[in-house]
Amino acid sequence: DWTTQSFIKESLETIKNKVGNKRVLCGLSGGVDSSVAAVLIHKAIGDQLHCVFVDTGLLRYREAEEVETVFRKHFKINLTVVDARERFLNRLKGVVDPEEKRKIIGEEFIRVFEEEAKKLGKFHFLAQGTLYPDVIESVSFKGPSATIKSHHNVGGLPDTFDFELLEPLRELFKDEVRQVGRELGIPDLIIERHPFPGPGLAVRILGEVTPERVELLQKADAIYIEELNTFKIYNAIWQAFAVLLPVRTVGVMGDQRTYDHVIALRAVTSSDGMTADWYRMPYEALAKISNRIINEVAGVNRVVYDISSKPPATIEWE
Ligand code: XMP
């Protein structure tokens, strides 16, 4: 529509004028915001943009491959994918405290990103997919939100990072960003994708993060998301994901007793993530998802559905 097109047209001009012939580095997360920012900037300045995507090993099933396909193959954007899976998993060994996990992941992320940026030469600008709500939240929430959960979306970069910021989406809300993304030809897979926390699956694996537990959760989560799409309810939900609980429960298979993992399913509706209501999931969808997870993911014998709203519960379990 007209507003989206005029936003894009004006942004391209602004970006071109601001950047001139300098180089721009962009940390791609695979999420909507950084994706739209990257494609918009690429459209304005082409190869002066270089994107870096860090595979932390804590991403959703096949997410790293999808990012490569879309950005490198389809959009022909300069992209470096850093395989840092071992680094993150090694640092998370034995760690169970959620804030400790966040701290480690945040630090390691900056380190990996910084190392990679150095290899790629000198950049003047750092592009970020900061939205209007991020700007507001980082200004007004100095207290509770910073201590309840240390989000590292805004202002998370150390002072040693000597870049000028390029934030072309600073004035937009999420739905406007999605419209801009669609207009730019970014596939629905990315545009419609639910938000994903920076620390990734580490905060959806309660207890210790091990390669086996990551794999188990990725499989369960992939089945969940696939079925939400099959039932055509994915887009009615703000965020849906599987959580791996740190307990085992008794089950029965044939005449054998099992003692296996529990998967909790979370699905919420929300307009900004600040408050949220649990999603009234149709029983048929729940039944199919539960059956498939228990039958297809070895080591899971129980699935539960989270019926808590925010507040007082948070969207994530950690
Ligand atoms: P909560 O769990 O606080 O989540 O209700 C609100 C929104 O924030 C996301 N979230 C995070 N995002 N780093 C992030 O980048 C984090 O540490 C983090 N913790 C929660 C969550 O997925 C939801 O969209």
Side-chain angles (χ1 to χ4, degrees):
D1 68 295
W2 184 83
T3 25
T4 307
Q5 284 174 357
S6 66
F7 170 84
I8 293 173
K9 196 161 164 262
E10 278 169 32
S11 292
L12 294 178
E13 278 310 301
T14 314
I15 295 166
K16 266 185 225 162
N17 290 334
K18 187 167 178 185
V19 171
N21 59 5
K22 300 197 169 93
R23 293 177 77 211
V24 179
L25 177 66
C26 178
L28 209 53
S29 72
V32 185
D33 309 344
S34 66
S35 297
V36 174
V39 172
L40 186 64
I41 294 168
H42 180 254
K43 204 173 158 82
I45 60 163
D47 281 346
Q48 281 165 260
L49 172 73
H50 199 111
C51 291
V52 172
F53 177 82
V54 179
D55 183 356
T56 59
L58 304 165
L59 304 167
R60 287 169 284 202
Y61 185 67
R62 299 239 165 108
E63 199 166 355
E65 288 100 310
E66 282 165 12
V67 165
E68 283 202 270
T69 307
V70 171
F71 294 93
R72 187 181 295 140
K73 297 216 181 93
H74 178 74
F75 282 108
K76 313 257 184 279
I77 292 178
N78 287 322
L79 169 68
T80 302
V81 175
V82 191
D83 180 358
R85 291 177 293 179
E86 269 196 36
R87 279 178 75 156
F88 281 88
L89 285 170
N90 278 334
R91 286 213 50 199
L92 288 168
K93 263 187 197 142
V95 180
V96 297
D97 180 74
E99 284 313 292
E100 186 69 20
K101 288 177 183 174
R102 281 193 170 78
K103 198 169 152 261
I104 290 172
I105 292 164
E107 278 171 17
E108 196 63 23
F109 190 91
I110 302 288
R111 226 174 271 171
V112 172
F113 192 77
E114 224 167 4
E115 279 173 28
E116 212 53 46
K118 263 191 206 127
K119 289 186 206 157
L120 293 167
K122 182 84 192 110
F123 291 92
H124 183 88
F125 290 97
L126 180 71
Q128 291 195 321
T130 315
L131 308 191
Y132 186 63
D134 304 329
V135 177
I136 299 300
E137 194 186 354
S138 71
V139 175
S140 64
F141 275 97
K142 293 258 153 63
S145 91
T147 46
I148 292 173
K149 284 180 185 179
S150 50
H151 292 218
H152 59 85
N153 278 350
V154 177
L157 291 172
D159 299 337
T160 53
F161 256 23
D162 169 29
F163 296 114
E164 190 176 338
L165 289 182
L166 186 63
E167 301 177 311
L169 313 177
R170 258 183 96 86
E171 273 145 44
L172 303 187
F173 286 95
K174 198 85 177 186
D175 50 331
E176 295 171 322
V177 172
R178 291 201 164 111
Q179 265 168 290
V180 170
R182 254 181 236 114
E183 188 72 34
L184 291 169
I186 301 175
D188 276 356
L189 175 76
I190 289 177
I191 294 299
E192 306 289 350
R193 185 166 259 174
H194 296 162
F196 190 65
L201 299 184
V203 292
R204 295 177 178 174
I205 294 172
L206 278 57
E208 190 185 1
V209 179
T210 64
E212 297 75 30
R213 300 186 83 210
V214 171
E215 205 188 318
L216 189 148
L217 182 58
Q218 280 177 335
K219 280 186 189 158
D221 189 71
I223 291 170
Y224 185 23
I225 300 305
E226 187 187 314
E227 289 300 333
L228 294 180
N229 280 309
T230 306
F231 279 90
K232 304 213 182 312
I233 51 182
Y234 183 85
N235 291 346
I237 298 167
W238 165 265
Q239 230 175 337
F241 52 87
V243 179
L244 177 57
L245 303 191
V247 289
R248 289 181 183 237
T249 72
V250 173
V252 58
M253 196 157 66
D255 52 8
Q256 293 280 316
R257 181 183 175 278
T258 61
Y259 191 55
D260 267 332
H261 298 289
V262 186
I263 286 288
L265 304 176
R266 184 73 160 136
V268 296
T269 54
S270 176
S271 57
D272 55 9
M274 303 289 278
T275 62
D277 197 9
W278 61 277
Y279 177 64
R280 273 50 170 184
M281 177 98 53
Y283 285 172
E284 312 80 68
L286 284 170
K288 175 105 180 280
I289 293 158
S290 157
N291 256 323
R292 279 198 61 198
I293 291 175
I294 290 169
N295 288 330
E296 295 173 35
V297 186
V300 176
N301 68 359
R302 191 178 300 269
V303 171
V304 298
Y305 189 59
D306 182 349
I307 52 168
S308 329
S309 292
K310 174 184 180 177
T314 49
I315 295 174
E316 302 290 344
W317 277 46
E318 285 198 332

